[in-house]
DNA sequence: GCTCTTTAATATGCATGCTGATTATTGGCA
DNA sequence: TGCCAATAATCAGCATGCATATTAAAGAGC
């Protein structure tokens, strides 16, 4: 079982756990009501207004079902607007509200600042190295994750 | 928003997502009914029989509440036994059953094999490097994750 | 021995995250 | 035009994952 601690899956789960905890703590300290997932969604919507939920899911690698709930919460908090697409009545187009925009502006510097906290034990060079490796792995693993592309 | 893709938190979430998907796929292909979390718990219980739930939670960095459900499912599937501790009637001591032991024996090689799949885009040297960095970060971040050590 | 605090586990509630099924709508094609 | 496969979103259901509160039991200190 000692080997468990050296397994990629286990270490990744642990790191994600730490990452989420750091995010939650910093946001709570700043008095901002946004989860990691909600922040990512809000950022994406702000950068490309009018996205549909499916497009958003693809952009940030989420499951569409999960995203439904996330979008619901953002909408009910008034951070985004969700309208029926004029071009496809099945689709919902997403827009950030002035309220959401303001919240995002407050959140952004906090999120930037906490990134280094996630990788607490590493020096600058190691952080850069880790980030590069993470990017490379996730880019390659893209096709393997079925999150945005569900197999029927 | 382009910056989002380079943020540690986002990349870690993505990698964890890939990791879980790879695990799920391989286990399903092998016809083994175990999630990543259940495998970790079962491994730990096998290596140290008689652990309490709290000890198990500390050992594999889980929240005790979450672990309650995991242990429930393993017990109801017959993979572990959960007895009241003879030394502390509040505590539950955990033991793997012959059934669970057999399942674990089948699962272990599958889990070992899928590790490399998680880090698909990396060569051997990069994998070693990434694992080393993950270990270092998680060791340092230990104190930050409130999972096993909840602040009151 | 009795109270007070601590501790192990559970209950409750919210937020992901995914699978499979369903509904509404669209667009292609005979 | 009418049917049919594909698509957008939702619903139901299960499994994490965490915060807060509660229950039961143990232990500390007087």
């Amino acid at each position: 079982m000692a080997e468990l601690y050296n397994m990629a899956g286990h270490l990744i789960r642990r790191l994600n756990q730490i990452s989420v905890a750091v995010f939650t703590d910093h946001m709570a300290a700043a008095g901002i009501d946004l989860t990691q997932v909600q922040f990512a969604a809000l950022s994406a919507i702000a950068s490309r207004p009018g996205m549909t939920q499916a497009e958003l899911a693809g952009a940030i690698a989420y499951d569409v079902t999960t995203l439904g709930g996330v979008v619901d919460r953002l909408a009910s908090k008034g951070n985004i607007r969700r309208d029926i697409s004029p071009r496809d009545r099945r689709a919902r187009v997403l827009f950030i509200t002035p309220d959401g925009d303001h919240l995002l502006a407050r959140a952004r510097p906090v999120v930037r600042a906490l990134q280094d906290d996630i990788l607490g034990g590493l020096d600058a060079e190691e952080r850069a190295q880790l980030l590069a490796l993470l990017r490379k792995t996730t880019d390659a693993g893209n096709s393997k994750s079925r999150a945005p592309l569900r197999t029927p």
Side-chain angles (χ1 to χ4, degrees), chain A:
Chain A
M1 142 65 185
E3 61 173 336
L4 181 70
Y5 299 123
N6 291 320
M7 282 186 178
H10 185 72
L11 291 169
I12 292 165
R13 187 189 63 80
R14 293 278 312 279
L15 186 53
N16 189 52
Q17 193 180 51
I18 291 166
S19 162
V20 170
V22 168
F23 191 99
T24 305
D25 285 357
H26 280 243
M27 292 308 251
I32 299 174
D33 177 27
L34 272 183
T35 66
Q36 197 194 26
V37 178
Q38 289 168 10
F39 172 78
L42 202 56
S43 291
I45 294 169
S47 78
R48 189 136 68 89
M51 260 181 165
T52 66
Q53 290 185 200
E55 284 165 352
L56 177 57
I60 54 183
Y62 277 52
D63 184 88
V64 278
T65 308
T66 303
L67 196 66
V70 176
V71 162
D72 262 354
R73 273 161 236 126
L74 284 173
S76 74
K77 287 194 285 190
N79 301 137
I80 63 169
R81 233 178 54 233
R82 178 172 41 169
D83 302 340
I84 292 176
S85 166
R87 294 208 308 236
D88 185 340
R89 288 178 35 207
R90 294 167 303 180
R92 307 277 185 269
V93 285
L94 307 171
F95 298 92
I96 195 164
T97 61
D99 230 59
D101 218 57
H102 182 248
L103 188 66
L104 191 57
R106 278 206 302 143
R108 261 199 249 267
V110 179
V111 173
R112 255 194 300 272
L114 67 80
Q115 298 303 308
D116 281 354
D117 249 45
I118 295 174
L119 309 179
L122 306 183
D123 60 38
E125 198 194 335
E126 289 170 324
R127 278 174 207 183
Q129 218 173 71
L130 178 56
L131 285 180
L133 289 169
L134 287 175
R135 259 193 301 273
K136 195 166 177 183
T137 319
T138 50
D139 283 351
N142 235 346
S143 55
K144 242 158 223 153
S145 168
R146 284 171 313 177
L149 309 155
R150 299 247 298 270
T151 43

